[in-house]
Amino acid sequence: MDDRLFRNAMGKFATGVTVITTKVDEHIHGMTANAFMSVSLNPRLVAISISEKAKMLEKINNSKRFVVNILSNEQKNLSMHFAGQLIEGVSVEFETIDDIPVIKNALANIICNVKSAYVEGDHTVFIGEVTELKLTDGEPLAFFEGKYGKVVKD
């Protein structure tokens, strides 16, 4: 199979949209990601997958901490901003929880310490131990077949 066919198949899995944030030397860094999942309830663990080409890989390796900010459907512009699709006039509002930046008004801010990291293929999978959570009401931002969308509830 070719790379395009594989990417198209992976695009058939509808996901939420997250922005991963961290802080290194008092500088805030962020990137859009949909490669996120819950791993365990006891202990509370999540996983994120970061490309070896992403600048965020070095940042998380240095900080040993990250936040998964689950975006609402009103935060598409933030997703595009952190994906490097420059949007003029995007203002990112951060709050601080446990001395790490979180995106204000995200549906969830999941604060993690890196528990382990595994290099697999062209990505590193970080397992994060959840240390803090903040939840906000709202509707999720969805992503399917390379396009943003909304979740329709029955």
Side-chain angles (χ1 to χ4, degrees):
M1 84 191 78
D2 66 13
D3 289 349
R4 182 78 260 166
L5 179 63
F6 184 74
R7 287 181 64 96
N8 289 347
M10 296 303 101
K12 295 292 185 183
F13 185 65
T15 67
V17 180
T18 73
V19 169
I20 308 301
T21 53
T22 194
K23 183 172 76 169
V24 178
D25 298 328
E26 301 306 314
H27 293 105
I28 298 171
H29 305 277
M31 69 168 276
T32 300
N34 65 352
F36 157 72
M37 69 178 207
S38 170
V39 173
S40 170
L41 284 173
N42 188 16
R44 291 175 180 89
L45 302 174
V46 298
I48 59 172
S49 180
I50 308 292
S51 170
E52 67 183 22
K53 296 177 183 176
K55 295 175 186 174
M56 183 60 88
L57 181 62
E58 178 186 354
K59 308 302 182 196
I60 294 173
N61 277 325
N62 287 337
S63 70
K64 304 295 186 208
R65 300 182 76 203
F66 62 88
V67 179
V68 178
N69 300 276
I70 300 174
L71 300 185
S72 77
N73 65 3
E74 297 174 359
Q75 295 176 312
K76 176 181 170 184
N77 61 339
L78 294 179
S79 172
M80 294 175 75
H81 172 75
F82 284 106
Q85 301 164 348
L86 300 177
I87 300 174
E88 292 184 31
V90 173
S91 175
V92 183
E93 291 187 60
F94 291 103
E95 297 176 330
T96 301
I97 298 176
D98 194 20
D99 198 36
I100 193 161
V102 304
I103 293 179
K104 188 175 182 178
N105 298 321
L107 294 181
N109 307 109
I110 306 166
I111 295 90
C112 302
N113 291 331
V114 173
K115 182 168 177 48
S116 55
Y118 303 93
V119 177
E120 295 296 339
D122 59 3
H123 279 63
T124 296
V125 177
F126 289 99
I127 305 298
E129 185 170 21
V130 178
T131 60
E132 293 284 339
L133 289 170
K134 180 180 177 187
L135 302 177
T136 303
D137 290 333
E139 299 297 324
L141 180 60
F143 198 71
F144 178 72
E145 292 186 334
K147 295 183 174 104
Y148 292 98
K150 295 181 180 182
V151 173
V152 178
K153 297 179 186 177
D154 285 341

